[in-house]
Amino acid sequence: MAARPVVSVFGLNGSKLEATIALPSVFTAPIRPDLVQFVHKNMAKNRRQPYAAKQQAGEETSAESWGTGRAVARIPRVSGSGTHRAGQAAFGNMTRGGRMFAPNKVWRKWHVRTNSNQKRYATASAVAATGVPALVSGRGHRIAEIEEVPLVVSAEVESLSKTKEAIALLKTVKAFDDVAKVSSSRSIRAGRGKMRNRRHRQRRGPLVVYAQDSGITHAFRNLPGVELVNVTRLNLLQLAPGGHLGRFVIWTQPAFEALNAVFGSQTEASEQKKGYTLPIPIISNPDVTRLIASNEIQAVVRPAGAPFTKRPFVQKKNPLRNSQVLVRLNPYAQVLRRAEILGQNKRTTKKSHKKSASKKFLDILKAD
């Protein structure tokens, strides 16, 4: 959420003008990445072109099942004889040359309708995100040398008609690095798309928002990655490409001043969207970590307890294998075990001290 009350205006020579503009209320709208991604996904589906498999594909052969009794599957088989193809299975999705399972149809539901309020909420969030330098820089735009975000230029920019004038303007406001980034990122697309009229891929550059086209579209349209849009036709697909917030936007002064009329505020309705007011944030400060660490909350919370963690459960032990648990259940088991050990030792001692035969008995046994 942008917190600066006023925004500077830059002229064609890159210097700040004396006039400043109050920050429009749309820059205080809640930033909702989840809603932006949801709406962007639905809107992107509305540009799809229907595609389908040929209706007769995989079934353009004469095939009929042989039925039962021939010890083969009942799948349809190609008729005829004398060729390898005769007798082969056909039609099924598991067969060679057969149709696919559930072929695509052109009457599939390609487009998705999205609620108008959700689209307006997402657009307002995307506009608010363009005023946060961290989000703009995190999206990959080169704004390290730019003095202010959002960047507002004077109304004279709308009258530019030459590309060299547009390049000069971008260089004076130090925004040309973002265009150079697009030029260096241009590469050939991987895959089949390179054969389908989308041979190259490149990054997105700045989005120029104007109020009246007096030649500005001719000046900027040939710069790689630069897009233009009227302030009354702001599109989420351009404000948050790929569903990612933080597009670098260059506003003209009349377009920036018209934002209050386009979106209204939290208390005043929009002039262009009937009965629409900006959404009110649930909490004014979304930094929860800072709220918890504040003196007001820390003064009323209980002090942290001892770092002791109780075991979440007691492990059940087998008394037949664990002697301590057995004694706890049956104290007499210890007496029985002790008696068993003593008896076992007594038997072992008797066997080891067995008397051997006397010498006199052995002499009598060996005598003839």
Side-chain angles (χ1 to χ4, degrees):
M1 182 184 298
R4 201 167 57 250
V6 293
V7 180
S8 303
V9 181
F10 294 86
L12 291 176
N13 56 358
S15 61
K16 289 184 180 180
L17 303 181
E18 295 182 0
T20 57
I21 308 175
L23 193 72
S25 300
V26 67
F27 284 91
T28 63
I31 298 177
R32 292 279 304 276
D34 54 338
L35 184 62
V36 170
Q37 291 175 3
F38 170 77
V39 175
H40 183 281
K41 182 175 67 174
N42 288 352
M43 292 179 64
K45 290 179 180 178
N46 295 336
R47 300 177 62 181
R48 292 190 294 178
Q49 179 176 335
Y51 62 89
K54 184 181 178 181
Q55 194 166 5
Q56 296 85 18
E59 295 184 350
E60 294 183 298
T61 182
S62 60
E64 191 175 354
S65 174
W66 289 357
T68 60
R70 299 183 65 173
V72 292
R74 287 175 285 186
I75 190 77
R77 297 178 182 275
V78 178
S79 59
S81 62
T83 62
H84 291 292
R85 183 60 174 154
Q88 289 183 355
F91 294 170
N93 64 313
M94 76 294 292
T95 62
R96 178 176 177 268
R99 53 159 171 76
M100 65 178 287
F101 168 74
N104 296 319
K105 302 294 183 182
V106 292
W107 56 79
R108 173 191 286 192
K109 185 176 179 289
W110 300 97
H111 303 85
V112 180
R113 183 190 173 277
T114 311
N115 292 342
S116 297
N117 195 46
Q118 286 182 315
K119 289 191 289 187
R120 291 172 177 175
Y121 198 153
T123 305
S125 293
V127 172
T130 62
V132 183
L135 294 178
V136 178
S137 179
R139 201 185 173 280
H141 293 286
R142 306 293 190 262
I143 60 168
E145 298 182 2
I146 292 178
E147 295 190 30
E148 288 187 13
V149 173
L151 180 61
V152 182
V153 293
S154 62
E156 302 172 358
V157 176
E158 295 184 351
S159 302
L160 299 180
S161 58
K162 294 291 186 179
T163 304
K164 62 180 180 181
E165 297 174 347
I167 294 176
L169 171 69
L170 293 175
K171 288 182 178 179
T172 53
V173 297
K174 300 177 181 179
F176 191 74
D177 290 346
D178 205 45
V179 180
K181 171 205 68 175
V182 177
S183 299
S184 60
S185 69
R186 186 177 174 86
S187 61
I188 296 179
R189 182 185 299 272
R192 287 302 233 186
K194 67 167 68 72
M195 304 178 186
R196 295 174 181 166
N197 211 23
R198 38 184 195 270
R199 189 169 185 81
H200 295 92
R201 296 179 71 245
Q202 64 183 21
R203 303 283 81 81
R204 294 291 185 106
L207 175 65
V208 180
V209 182
Y210 60 90
Q212 185 175 0
D213 182 12
S214 300
I216 187 173
T217 55
H218 286 76
F220 284 90
R221 66 182 180 180
N222 204 30
L223 296 177
V226 179
E227 297 177 347
L228 296 101
V229 65
N230 192 294
V231 67
T232 60
R233 298 289 185 269
L234 290 175
N235 188 355
L236 183 67
L237 298 177
Q238 292 180 318
L239 289 170
H244 305 297
L245 293 167
R247 180 78 184 266
F248 176 37
V249 181
I250 300 175
W251 307 85
T252 64
Q253 184 175 353
F256 201 72
E257 293 172 345
L259 285 175
N260 280 331
V262 174
F263 290 97
S265 65
Q266 284 84 0
T267 56
E268 296 181 3
S270 167
E271 297 179 8
Q272 296 187 5
K273 309 176 193 300
K274 183 178 179 180
Y276 178 73
T277 55
L278 286 175
I280 300 176
I282 298 177
I283 52 178
S284 58
N285 184 8
D287 192 351
V288 180
T289 306
R290 184 179 176 185
L291 288 174
I292 295 175
S294 63
N295 295 331
E296 292 80 359
I297 293 181
Q298 291 296 323
V300 295
V301 297
R302 292 179 297 176
F308 173 75
T309 304
K310 186 178 179 181
R311 294 183 65 181
F313 63 92
V314 179
Q315 184 180 5
K316 185 177 181 181
K317 297 180 180 180
N318 188 358
L320 300 178
R321 296 186 178 184
N322 193 312
S323 59
Q324 294 182 354
V325 177
L326 178 63
V327 171
R328 194 184 308 150
L329 295 175
N330 181 16
Y332 190 67
Q334 190 172 9
V335 179
L336 294 177
R337 179 59 182 163
R338 188 174 295 142
E340 182 182 355
I341 294 174
L342 292 175
Q344 195 173 20
N345 292 338
K346 186 181 291 186
R347 288 193 298 272
T348 305
T349 305
K350 286 182 179 179
K351 289 181 181 179
S352 60
H353 292 81
K354 189 176 183 181
K355 292 181 178 181
S356 59
S358 62
K359 184 177 180 183
K360 184 179 180 180
F361 175 76
L362 293 174
D363 293 342
I364 296 173
L365 187 62
K366 294 177 181 179
D368 293 334

